[in-house]
Amino acid sequence: MATVTTTAARARGTRAAGAAHLRRKKRLFWPFAAPALVLYLAFLVLPTLATVVLSFTSWAGAGDTPKPNGVTNYTQMWASDSFQYAFRNTLVYVFLGGIGTFALAFLFTMVLRDMRGGKVVRAILFFPNIVAPVALGMFLGFVFKYQPGKQGLANYVLEHIGADAAKFLAPANVTGVVTASLIWASSGFYITILMAAVDRIPPYLYEDAELGGASPWQKFRNITLPMTWDVVGVAGVLWTINALKIFELVFVLAGPGTYAPPNQAWTLGIYVFDRTFGSNGTPDFGAACACAVAMIALVSILVVLLRRLMRRDAIQF
């Protein structure tokens, strides 16, 4: 009887100590969380709300007062040819660029998994991601340059194999060149992410599949992809956000060196830049904010759809 009483007392003491520890943790929550919440509110929430409000106004910037104009900015934006080009090109970068990047990333992931010295190759493939986009754009500009007597590397190769030189950076072609450049420059980053996920997969699963006569495609479809599905979903979200914000690479490759690229090469980021600084000499912050709100809405829709599409039960191993 005494033993039962002692055990019950100990249990009550343990519960009391646990409750006291939980109360102390709750008291520490706000002192630690408040600074981060204040910064989040000041630098993300409030500017976003201000952008939404300004998108319904006409405002030329400092020295002027925003004048409400309803949904005029949105209607003019959707009717604008430059916005149509920007919207289309941005979707090309998101979808075609994403498909190419992840196809290349998965291909290299499967090759590097069994390759000796794979970590060194992974580091080499990651290198373009540490180069500033402006510097990368300048390098690619020299590669794809079209100028009689001073051709870039790409046209130099074409001419030496008997083909005609191509105007890679012409307004009608620059979107394809930028898409290919994005795939080349970004795949190393996603290879690194996917390889980190593949490294967690127990080797015996691949060994069992090999003993069962599975082909490389079957091992990828039945082992690699299901085991890395959650990481692929996160990588897809990162790609979507980064592709929607693309600016520097297009600006350097397609720009004439004076103000901004031709309308056919625009992205949503360049559209915001143009309206902010004023291609006609007068900034239009209301129109720029309207495009920024459209970008926020687009990225929110795409991320939610992607997360729903990639939703699966986690596999324990």
Side-chain angles (χ1 to χ4, degrees):
M1 185 67 179
T3 303
V4 174
T5 304
T6 302
T7 303
R10 287 178 178 173
R12 287 194 298 270
T14 301
R15 286 195 297 270
H21 179 67
L22 185 60
R23 287 195 297 271
R24 287 195 296 271
K25 286 179 65 177
K26 288 182 177 179
R27 284 197 297 267
L28 288 173
F29 174 79
W30 284 112
F32 281 97
L37 291 175
V38 169
L39 292 175
Y40 183 81
L41 182 68
F43 293 103
L44 184 65
V45 176
L46 292 180
T48 301
L49 294 176
T51 300
V52 174
V53 173
L54 288 173
S55 70
F56 296 100
T57 66
S58 175
W59 185 38
D64 193 11
T65 302
K67 299 177 180 62
N69 64 353
V71 296
T72 302
N73 291 328
Y74 289 95
T75 56
Q76 291 179 350
M77 178 181 70
W78 285 105
S80 168
D81 288 339
S82 56
F83 179 82
Q84 299 296 331
Y85 284 125
F87 190 78
R88 182 202 64 189
N89 292 337
T90 300
L91 292 182
V92 168
Y93 297 138
V94 171
F95 291 104
L96 293 185
I99 291 171
T101 297
F102 280 92
L104 195 62
F106 275 122
L107 177 63
F108 273 95
T109 296
M110 296 308 299
V111 172
L112 294 176
R113 187 180 62 82
D114 299 319
M115 179 180 175
R116 180 177 296 180
K119 292 185 177 179
V120 176
V121 178
R122 191 191 315 181
I124 294 173
L125 292 172
F126 186 81
F127 177 76
N129 291 275
I130 66 177
V131 179
V134 173
L136 189 63
M138 293 176 66
F139 165 73
L140 293 172
F142 286 114
V143 171
F144 294 111
K145 181 171 63 174
Y146 176 87
Q147 186 177 350
K150 296 181 180 179
Q151 302 287 20
L153 178 61
N155 278 319
Y156 178 82
V157 172
L158 288 177
E159 289 180 346
H160 277 72
I161 63 175
D164 295 330
K167 295 182 179 180
F168 290 105
L169 301 182
N173 302 328
V174 72
T175 299
V177 172
V178 172
T179 303
S181 301
L182 277 176
I183 294 171
W184 169 76
S186 303
S187 58
F189 175 75
Y190 295 97
I191 289 171
T192 303
I193 293 177
L194 295 178
M195 282 298 298
V198 170
D199 289 343
R200 301 183 308 166
I201 301 175
Y204 66 80
L205 294 177
Y206 290 104
E207 294 169 1
D208 292 345
E210 189 139 3
L211 290 174
S215 65
W217 167 250
Q218 289 173 324
K219 286 189 284 187
F220 171 76
R221 186 184 62 185
N222 297 306
I223 298 176
T224 304
L225 192 57
M227 293 292 186
T228 59
W229 192 254
D230 55 340
V231 177
V232 173
V234 173
V237 171
L238 291 176
W239 169 263
T240 301
I241 295 171
N242 290 330
L244 278 169
K245 297 189 302 181
I246 183 173
F247 174 80
E248 300 98 326
L249 191 60
V250 178
F251 197 88
V252 174
L253 281 177
T258 53
Y259 173 70
N263 289 2
Q264 287 178 275
W266 278 19
T267 63
L268 293 178
I270 294 177
Y271 185 94
V272 173
F273 168 83
D274 176 79
R275 295 301 184 263
T276 300
F277 294 99
S279 58
N280 297 319
T282 303
D284 190 348
F285 286 95
C289 288
C291 185
V293 171
M295 292 177 67
I296 294 172
L298 181 60
V299 73
S300 300
I301 292 170
L302 291 177
V303 168
V304 169
L305 291 176
L306 185 62
R307 295 301 294 170
R308 287 186 176 275
L309 181 65
M310 304 293 289
R311 182 184 297 171
R312 286 190 184 181
D313 294 332
I315 298 177
Q316 302 295 330
F317 53 87

